[in-house]
Amino acid sequence: MSQTSPTETRIADWLAGQRDAMIDLLREVVDLDSGSYDKAGVDAVGARFERFFAEHGLPTSREPHEQLGDAIHIRLDEQPTNERPILLMGHRDTVFPKGEVARRPFKIENGRAYGPGVSDMKSGLVMNAFVLAAFKRFGGNPAPLAGLITSDEEIASPSSRPVIERTARKARCVFNSEPGRPTGNVVTGRKGGVFMRFEITGKAAHSGGNFEKGISAIGELAHKIVALHALTDLELGITVNVGLVKGGQSVNTTAPSAEGQIDLRYVHPADRAEALDKVRAIIERATVPGTSATLEIKGEFLPVTTGGASQELFEIYQGAGTSVGLKIGGEFSGGCADSGFTSAVGCPTICAVGPVGGNAHTAEEYLEVDSMVPRAQALAIAILRMPPET
Ligand SMILES: [Zn+2]
């Protein structure tokens, strides 16, 4: 390590000594199914982390939720202060169904770890947990430190969003430990996304004997898909994808109903309203006479914006990375995450500071095991180098 202070060295050395303990904890939490809708599974992962924090003397509290997993807050000390904390954040749900762990439990092969949620983002949570434990042990943090483990990011955080927004409003900055890019880069900007579902109503008629009485909802669906896709403007970073469709009753019936699901993405916060208006206009306009349609928003992520205090935060983090031999750049991602909510409430945010991995949401998802310690060290050193609040 180059140019590190004694406290930085002490914490970095301790983290290096925790490599096996990190892998053990990661194995345990990966081997618990925790799909977003599996409350019992998501809460079991939460309980395992709570046990870790209890063992390391960090107080935790739960915000319960009836259907989805509970939110878990972690602090360094019992005593609350008025100073704004640095917040380490992550989600513990995965996109995988119950039974996935039995099919492909945690394993390590050729330096890569595999298993459901191994990098997205259970390794990020393990990293956060050890960094918090390190500060509990050695101190030196220039501001209070807090952790937040959420439960439903993969379904756009319906239960966690208000918790995240409230916590981020009171925080000084956020490090979100989504997996680092395969290059090792972090994410300093993200697209916003709106997930919508629309339903078209037509009229059923026998398509042989009574064709002229029918109104085809599928015919209308086709027009709407083409019009929606035409809203895509790659230069502005706006994309519209109808990713799911269904409809119809039988091959010889004019389709009485049809539906589609839309994923709208955008870069600039100002583009959201206009793009949504255009989507609404297309859903309202009937090209096939006699059809009608409705639209509902199913979920949403806000964009992570760059510049200003986020840029300063990134530079501190980048410098910390250099001290432990990591070359970390910032990149823009079309993917959405909870970091959009923290950024949107004005809290400087860096995303993807977690250990490095790839192929998220697939059976090939992997984690570079050797990235766990240096990413934890970079995060800890970045925290130590935050200037005192003015
Ligand atoms: Zn994730």
Side-chain angles (χ1 to χ4, degrees):
M1 269 182 295
S2 60
Q3 296 160 327
T4 48
S5 74
T7 314
E8 289 173 1
T9 307
R10 207 173 307 130
I11 288 184
D13 285 351
W14 182 79
L15 287 169
Q18 298 302 307
R19 186 179 190 276
D20 291 347
M22 287 184 200
I23 293 170
D24 288 345
L25 179 59
L26 180 62
R27 177 190 309 273
E28 278 190 61
V29 291
V30 167
D31 281 347
L32 292 167
D33 280 316
S34 63
S36 308
Y37 294 103
D38 175 7
K39 176 171 171 63
V42 172
D43 281 341
V45 175
R48 181 60 191 91
F49 279 108
E50 284 170 329
R51 187 147 66 81
F52 174 91
F53 291 118
E55 285 161 5
H56 287 82
L58 292 110
T60 59
S61 61
R62 275 197 188 209
E63 277 192 65
H65 193 271
E66 293 219 334
Q67 286 90 38
L68 300 165
D70 302 336
I72 298 171
H73 296 272
I74 306 110
R75 297 192 313 281
L76 275 202
D77 301 297
E78 296 289 351
Q79 263 350 310
T81 75
N82 289 330
E83 256 184 288
R84 296 187 302 163
I86 297 163
L87 181 64
L88 309 187
M89 200 169 84
H91 67 87
R92 65 191 192 279
D93 60 319
T94 74
V95 296
F96 299 102
K98 211 166 176 55
E100 189 78 6
V101 167
R103 281 188 288 279
R104 44 182 199 93
F106 181 90
K107 65 170 180 186
I108 297 179
E109 257 173 34
N110 302 321
R112 287 184 167 180
Y114 299 86
V118 68
S119 63
D120 183 16
M121 56 177 283
K122 288 176 173 174
S123 58
L125 291 175
V126 168
M127 179 192 78
N128 284 356
F130 277 86
V131 168
L132 288 165
F135 279 99
K136 179 72 191 177
R137 210 179 171 88
F138 298 102
N141 43 304
L145 267 186
L148 174 61
I149 303 183
T150 68
S151 59
D152 54 356
E153 193 267 352
E154 300 293 1
I155 54 170
S157 300
S159 82
S160 303
R161 180 177 174 175
V163 179
I164 292 167
E165 290 176 336
R166 173 164 31 83
T167 311
R169 272 195 195 96
K170 288 183 274 183
R172 178 176 172 183
C173 63
V174 169
F175 291 99
N176 194 33
S177 301
E178 289 280 357
R181 306 290 100 174
T183 54
N185 285 354
V186 295
V187 172
T188 46
R190 278 189 188 276
K191 283 190 173 184
V194 187
F195 310 104
M196 291 164 276
R197 180 170 166 275
F198 62 99
E199 266 181 24
I200 304 168
T201 307
K203 190 160 173 269
H206 194 294
S207 60
N210 223 356
F211 182 85
E212 62 287 355
K213 293 265 165 58
I215 299 172
S216 173
I218 287 180
E220 179 63 23
L221 177 68
H223 287 289
K224 289 198 193 310
I225 294 168
V226 173
L228 287 164
H229 280 185
L231 298 179
T232 291
D233 183 336
L234 292 177
E235 235 151 76
L236 276 179
I238 295 171
T239 59
V240 178
N241 179 54
V242 179
L244 285 171
V245 293
K246 66 180 182 194
Q249 181 179 300
S250 72
V251 68
N252 57 353
T253 307
T254 60
S257 62
E259 65 168 75
Q261 296 198 33
I262 307 167
D263 175 1
L264 161 70
R265 305 272 169 137
Y266 60 96
V267 175
H268 307 290
D271 289 341
R272 177 186 177 278
E274 194 185 327
L276 269 182
D277 282 348
K278 288 180 179 165
V279 168
R280 281 198 193 97
I282 290 167
I283 299 305
E284 279 164 20
R285 184 174 68 232
T287 308
V288 174
T291 57
S292 61
T294 56
L295 178 73
E296 61 170 328
I297 293 180
K298 303 282 290 177
E300 173 154 19
F301 281 112
L302 298 173
V304 175
T305 50
T306 43
S310 291
Q311 179 62 26
E312 286 164 35
L313 187 61
F314 169 67
E315 281 164 16
I316 292 170
Y317 179 76
Q318 192 175 38
T322 305
S323 295
V324 296
L326 299 179
K327 234 177 105 42
I328 298 170
E331 46 180 86
F332 188 88
S333 167
C336 295
D338 283 333
S339 44
F341 299 133
T342 62
S343 175
V345 299
C347 190
T349 299
I350 314 183
C351 196
V353 299
V356 175
N359 297 337
H361 299 194
T362 74
E364 285 75 46
E365 177 185 7
Y366 68 88
L367 165 77
E368 302 285 6
V369 176
D370 283 343
S371 72
M372 286 196 69
V373 165
R375 298 288 275 200
Q377 292 171 327
L379 176 58
I381 291 173
I383 291 166
L384 287 166
R385 291 184 185 173
M386 298 275 300
E389 239 187 328
T390 43

